[in-house]
């Protein structure tokens, strides 16, 4: 059994903590996207969030809730992606020390970005060591608080604030499409949807190569897979969390998948038609909404664009079709 699942009240409390710290990101529309889908689409643009992804919301909310003693000891996390930068930046703003566990062979740009926000990077050999074990060792040695990337009530509540802002701004929706990795964003978004737009269908979207969430949703228990090979690196998780799965089971309507080719098509659409940079993982929700597989004619549809952090070289290659 999972104890203490976050509720919509926790999302509201997180919004208060984030006020004036996180960006209230814009909600964009596109006539071309509407014409192609037959729906009214509302894109919540977390690619414009601080550090380039919604992860800042959950990371900041979790650190802001720590006691003074916990803050003095600092925080630790394992991630080479957006959660690393989120924790580093949130900790810096709150004057808390942050240790980020990264693989020895993490891309230099990601390491530099994390260090740029004042995070201390501790490396490990991902062929020989388990990152969670390394994090736990540092947690014990230094008395730090571990903040995992998704399976944490305060992280989930923070992530839910993006969808809350979307509903506040545009009102009730018929559908909400949310990308799915470990499920922090989807479960937080579902809490907001259930409270603010009870009839809205909440759809989680995973990369085709890694549909552990879909398998878990259908089978009723958490399914674990090998690390999937997909362009959607932010959703290349191997399993849902206990907290996120419990919320997804209770509040999400379905989980679907899209292919890498669909992600590239969407990424180009965002660049060409909407003039914005979206990372492949950030394209998951939109790619499902534009797939033609949902009866969206005349519907009001929300889409969370989760992030915009790209490696320019690979992004250029995807745009050019290389
Ligand atoms: C982390 C991340 C996701 C997946 O979020 P979960 O909470 O793990 O499901 C999606 N998109 C981007 C850009 C991310 O950084």
């Amino acid at each position: 059994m999972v104890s203490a699942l976050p509720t919509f009240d926790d999302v509201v409390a997180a919004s208060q903590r984030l006020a004036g710290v996180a960006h209230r990101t814009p909600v964009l529309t596109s006539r071309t996207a509407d014409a192609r889908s037959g729906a009214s689409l509302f894109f919540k643009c977390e690619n414009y969030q601080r550090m380039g992804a919604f992860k800042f919301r959950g990371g900041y909310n979790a650190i802001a809730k720590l006691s003074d003693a916990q803050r003095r000891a600092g925080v630790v996390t394992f991630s080479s992606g957006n959660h690393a930068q989120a924790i580093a930046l949130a900790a810096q703003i709150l004057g808390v020390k942050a240790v980020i566990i990264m693989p020895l062979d993490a891309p230099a740009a990601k390491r530099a970005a994390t260090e740029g926000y004042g995070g201390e990077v501790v490396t490990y050999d991902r062929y020989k060591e388990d990152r969670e074990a390394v994090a736990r060792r540092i947690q014990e040695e230094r008395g730090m608080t571990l903040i995992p990337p998704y399976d944490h009530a305060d992280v989930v509540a923070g992530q839910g604030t993006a969808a809350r802002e979307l509903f506040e701004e545009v009102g009730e929706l018929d559908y909400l499409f949310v990308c799915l990795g470990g499920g922090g964003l989807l479960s937080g978004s579902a809490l907001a949807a259930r409270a603010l737009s009870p009839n809205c269908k909440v759809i989680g979207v995973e990369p085709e190569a890694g549909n552990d969430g879909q398998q878990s949703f259908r089978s009723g228990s958490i399914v674990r897979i090998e690390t999937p090979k997909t362009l959607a690196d932010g959703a290349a998780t191997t399993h849902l969390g206990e907290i996120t799965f419990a919320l997804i089971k209770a509040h999400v309507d379905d989980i679907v998948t899209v292919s890498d080719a669909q992600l590239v098509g969407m990424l180009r659409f965002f660049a060409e038609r909407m003039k914005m940079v979206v990372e492949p993982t950030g394209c998951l929700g939109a790619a499902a909404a534009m797939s033609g597989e949902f009866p969206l004619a005349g519907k009001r549809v929300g889409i969370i664009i989760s992030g915009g952090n790209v490696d320019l070289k690979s992004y250029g290659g995807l745009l050019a079709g290389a």
Side-chain angles (χ1 to χ4, degrees), residues 53-55 82-83 149-150 159 179-186 234-235 237 279 281-282 306-308:
F54 71 91
K55 290 248 178 25
N82 288 329
H83 180 66
Y150 51 85
Q159 316 308 30
C179 49
L180 171 60
L185 183 64
L186 177 59
T237 41
E279 61 185 277
T281 315
S306 55

Side-chain angles (χ1 to χ4, degrees), residues 154 156-157 188 205 230 246:
D154 303 328
V156 168
V205 187
T230 168

